[in-house]
Amino acid sequence: MSGQFVAFFILSLLTIGGAVFMISLQKVVHQVVALAFSFLSIAGLYVMLEAEFVAVTQVLVYAGSISILMLFGIMLTRHDAHEDTGRGKFKFLAFIVVAAFFVLVFMGIQTMNIEGTPANFSQQNNVLEIGKLMFSQYVIPFEIMSVLLLVALVGAIILAKREADDK
Amino acid sequence: MTVPLASYLLVALILFCIGLYGALTKRNAVIVLLSMELMLNAVNINLVAFAKFGAFANLTGQIFSLFSITLAAAEVAVGLAILISLYRNRRTVNVDEMDLLKR
C-alpha cells in the first residue's frame, strides 16, 4: 500500500463524501459548502494526475468563484426550509434510472482495455507546455473561448438587470 | 505502481451519478445548477485521467478540461442571472413552479 494509494483513497473519499452531503443536507448554504469541499478534493486528484495547472484553475474557478457566486445566488433569493414531499414515486424512478446508468458504465469501465504507456508529465514544466500548446495549436479555440466569456458577461448583466419600467 | 485508470474513472462515474440524481430530483434551482457543476467536474476528471493514461497520452486532455472549466464558469454566470430575474418576476426558485411555457 503505497502513499499514492492512500492519498487517492482519502481524496476520492472526500470528493464523494462532499457530493453525498450536497445531496443529503437540508439547508442550501450547507449544501454549497459541502460541494466546495468536493471541488477542493478534485483539485487534489488533478495534482495526483500531474495536472498542476488544471488543479490551480480548479481551485480558482470552482472553489473560489463558482461557490461564491452560488452563495450570492442563494442570498439574493428566498429559500423555504421545508423539504420536498409527495414526489417519492418520481424519486424512486430517478434512482432506478441513475442506478441502471451506473451499472452500464461500470461494466464498460471493467471491460475497457486501453493499450498505451502512461504519459510522464513530471519531467516537463506543466504550465510551460500547456502555454505553448494553447498559443500555437489551440489558439483559435482559445480566442473563441474569450469571445464566449465576453458574451456570457454581457448576457448575464442584461438578464439580471432590472428593467426600466418595473420599478 | 500507480493508481490505475479505472479507479479515477470510477470516482468520476460516482460523482456523475450523484450529480445526475440531484439534477433530476431536487426542486431548488440553485441546487440543480450545483448538480450540473458536479457532472461537469466528473467529465473533467475523466479528461485529465485520459490525458495521463489514455492510448495517446498527451496534454490535449488537460487543455480540453481547461476549456470546459471556462465553459462551466460562463454557464453558472448566465444560469444565476436567469434565476435572479426569474425570482424577481415570480418570487420562486422552485423548478416545479417554473412552468410559464407549459401553460
Side-chain angles (χ1 to χ4, degrees), chain B residues 32 44-45 49 62-63 82 95 100-102:
Chain B
V32 173
N44 283 342
I45 291 179
Q62 297 189 12
I63 289 174
I82 292 174
V95 288
L100 275 175
L101 286 178
K102 233 161 58 172

Side-chain angles (χ1 to χ4, degrees), chain A residues 14-30:
Chain A
L14 279 173
T15 306
I16 295 168
V20 169
F21 272 113
M22 194 278 279
I23 290 296
S24 61
L25 281 177
Q26 297 292 324
K27 285 192 173 171
V28 192
V29 180
H30 294 178

